Amino acid sequence: MIIRGGLLITAAGPVPADLQVAGTVIAAVTPPGAAAPSPGEEVFSAAGRWILPGGVDVHTHFGMPLRPGVASLGWRESSEAALLGGTTTIIDFANPEPGESLAQAVDRWLAMAGGACLCDFGLHCTVSDTAPERLAEIPALVARGIPTFKGFLAYKGRLMLTESQMGLLMTGVKAAGGMLLVHAEDGEMNAAAEQVLLATGRTTPNWHPTAHPPESEQQAVARCLALALEHGCPLTVVHLSLEDSLAALEAARQRRRDGGPDLPLIGEVCLHHLLADDGLYRSGHESALSALCSPPLRPPRHGRGLVQGLAAGRIDTLSTDHCEFPLAVKAAAAAGGFPRVPNGCGGVGERITLSYSELVRKGHLGPDRWIEAVAAKPAEIMGLSGRKGRLQPGYDADIVCFDPRAEGLWQPLGSSDRAGNLYKDLPVTGQVTDVWLRGRRVVDRGRLCGDQPGGEFLPRLLS
Ligand code: URP
Ligand code: ZN
Ligand code: ZN
């Protein structure tokens, strides 16, 4: 197949070119019109449109039950939204239950995703138990292509690690050649704030951000960066929500340059922390429920500061932390007080188009940096170099055709009962029109193609 007449958006800048696809991979990138189709070869006209590499969202929770009986929207629905929104690769988190081994959790996640996840997927593994037998599993997971692990400083009593447990985990991850992803909020501080709120009758979802104060993120970010430098462990600080967190990351990078260990210190930001703000907690019960995620949405200046950081490359990647629960599920849980509400919002279907509409089109982010942040860098950092995130010969033919001029009002992609869509009816410019996954058409003029065989598990290797 030849995709002809489009403007290729690459991390090196926009360039008019044609793409030749052979089977599942990109065979060549040629000057416009240079490639002659062989007899019977399909030629797809992308005139007037942009051609992007398939999006890579390295932070999703498609299959996460936050507590028994409360499951997120699930693999099929979330992966449909991903493809419709131009994301062809995700990395999800396998979360062991108490007493479960890391390998069992990974097997469970693979079983859930198999056949149900329509896009390609990799896995991170959460570690909330640092017993020696759990940490001893880390090298085997790295060997299975799962080289990234998540530790939580938040969620006291469930996932939270103490500082010494975090140190043990970092030591194990570093020794195995992996990378640690940290959810940086201080679980003790959040729990104390929550207790006071509940004891004084402030139980509705609008109090959620008060139980997740900025100081909690500031302290936890500083602590995990200090620990990473101390233990020499490659680190991604996920879902940065404060300008201050970015400043702390920059300071740690400076300490590294000043003679600290040579290790990746990566910063990730998620769509909702850029495009939505804490005003939603004051806009009624449903809005507050939709926006109930951790870290919470912050005052608008933080979003603006994080966008500047992303544009300058000080923040490396733009993900979603997609973890979407039906509104009815969130509402029912809220009857027991805001701490009972499962945390998370959507975004996997929105990430490419809304970041274009709000950031690229409005001049805050160059198209090259945009595509680097939503595809090329996340793939490279998370061990998918050579396969995902770029439009280059030999890479998987994960290709998105994007109309940068289409106008409309944003509508949720997928289910009609989506709590996490914070952007309903937002005026939007830009539309994903056609998508290929490993050379196979999966979205045709804005609609999912039928009979999809499902995505592949992607073993990863950090460079
Ligand atoms: O609110 C969130 N972020 N839910 C998903 C779990 C996590 O903390 O990443
Ligand atoms: Zn998190
Ligand atoms: Zn998450």
Side-chain angles (χ1 to χ4, degrees):
M1 175 183 65
I2 298 177
I3 298 180
R4 176 159 281 173
L7 185 68
L8 258 58
I9 310 297
T10 73
V15 45
D18 295 344
L19 272 184
Q20 274 187 284
V21 174
T24 61
V25 296
I26 295 171
V29 181
T30 53
S38 42
E41 186 173 11
E42 180 189 351
V43 177
F44 177 90
S45 171
R49 285 181 285 169
W50 287 8
I51 305 298
L52 322 173
V56 179
D57 185 349
V58 299
H59 188 157
T60 69
H61 303 274
F62 282 5
M64 181 150 95
L66 262 188
R67 33 179 135 266
V70 181
S72 57
L73 271 176
W75 291 91
R76 180 157 296 264
E77 188 137 50
S78 299
S79 60
E80 282 177 3
L83 292 180
L84 285 166
T87 288
T88 47
T89 297
I90 59 108
I91 307 184
D92 211 80
F93 290 82
N95 286 351
E97 293 291 337
E100 191 179 34
S101 72
L102 306 187
Q104 284 167 335
V106 163
D107 290 342
R108 200 156 50 80
W109 243 255
L110 289 172
M112 279 194 281
C117 186
L118 298 181
C119 57
D120 283 355
F121 62 95
L123 291 179
H124 312 284
C125 187
T126 296
V127 183
S128 53
D129 173 0
T130 54
E133 62 271 28
R134 290 289 85 79
L135 297 181
E137 288 190 74
I138 289 175
L141 287 196
V142 174
R144 283 177 76 178
I146 301 170
T148 43
F149 300 85
K150 187 174 182 189
F152 286 81
L153 289 168
Y155 300 127
K156 185 178 178 190
R158 284 191 288 142
L159 300 166
M160 188 180 92
L161 298 176
T162 63
E163 199 160 319
S164 56
Q165 288 173 321
M166 189 59 87
L168 283 171
L169 177 55
M170 285 187 175
T171 306
V173 168
K174 177 203 158 96
M179 174 185 277
L180 189 65
L181 283 55
V182 172
H183 178 129
E185 285 185 281
D186 184 320
E188 292 286 354
M189 198 186 287
N190 291 0
E194 187 179 293
Q195 258 187 11
V196 172
L197 287 166
L198 296 182
T200 50
R202 289 172 285 178
T203 61
T204 46
N206 54 308
W207 292 106
H208 169 77
T210 313
H212 293 255
E215 293 75 14
S216 164
E217 180 173 324
Q218 287 160 2
Q219 290 208 8
V221 167
R223 205 169 336 128
C224 71
L225 287 165
L227 284 168
L229 287 170
E230 182 184 333
H231 296 288
C233 180
L235 176 73
T236 293
V237 190
V238 295
H239 46 49
L240 298 172
S241 76
L242 301 168
E243 283 183 304
D244 322 57
S245 301
L246 175 55
L249 179 62
E250 285 287 273
R253 287 169 173 159
Q254 188 57 50
R255 287 206 295 283
R256 179 189 57 185
R257 282 193 289 273
D258 290 344
D262 183 20
L263 57 115
L265 294 175
I266 307 296
E268 173 203 77
V269 75
C270 293
L271 189 72
H272 48 281
H273 289 126
L274 300 183
L275 304 192
D277 63 57
D278 63 349
L280 284 171
Y281 299 119
R282 301 184 290 276
S283 306
H285 189 65
E286 282 199 1
S287 295
L289 278 175
S290 297
L292 202 151
C293 60
S294 295
L297 303 181
R298 306 290 192 185
R301 79 179 164 88
H302 291 287
R304 289 195 295 271
L306 294 170
V307 167
Q308 283 169 13
L310 187 68
R314 296 195 299 271
I315 295 178
D316 303 275
T317 56
L318 172 54
S319 310
T320 61
D321 198 5
H322 178 97
C323 186
E324 192 169 24
F325 297 90
L327 189 55
V329 167
K330 280 190 153 184
F338 73 85
R340 301 290 308 157
V341 179
N343 286 202
C345 36
V348 77
E350 286 77 20
R351 187 179 64 128
I352 304 276
T353 303
L354 295 192
S355 60
Y356 168 79
S357 184
E358 291 293 305
L359 305 182
V360 179
R361 179 153 159 101
K362 292 185 177 174
H364 304 298
L365 199 63
D368 47 350
R369 181 61 201 127
W370 172 54
I371 230 56
E372 196 172 56
V374 299
K377 271 279 170 199
E380 187 183 304
I381 289 166
M382 293 299 167
L384 293 169
S385 289
R387 178 148 190 207
K388 301 289 187 187
R390 291 183 193 274
L391 296 171
Q392 285 178 8
Y395 275 65
D396 281 358
D398 297 347
I399 302 166
V400 174
C401 192
F402 186 80
D403 180 350
R405 279 180 294 274
E407 305 268 356
L409 296 180
W410 185 256
Q411 292 304 320
L413 296 169
S415 157
S416 53
D417 178 23
R418 301 187 68 162
N421 197 309
L422 309 173
Y423 316 104
K424 192 170 182 320
D425 293 331
L426 179 77
V428 59
T429 303
Q431 189 192 356
V432 169
T433 59
D434 302 271
V435 181
W436 291 261
L437 173 64
R438 284 176 277 107
R440 183 169 41 79
R441 184 81 162 267
V442 288
V443 174
D444 182 349
R445 285 161 289 177
R447 289 188 185 281
L448 273 179
C449 302
D451 285 339
Q452 301 204 23
E456 281 183 1
F457 171 65
L458 301 166
R460 296 175 292 120
L461 183 66
L462 300 183
S463 52

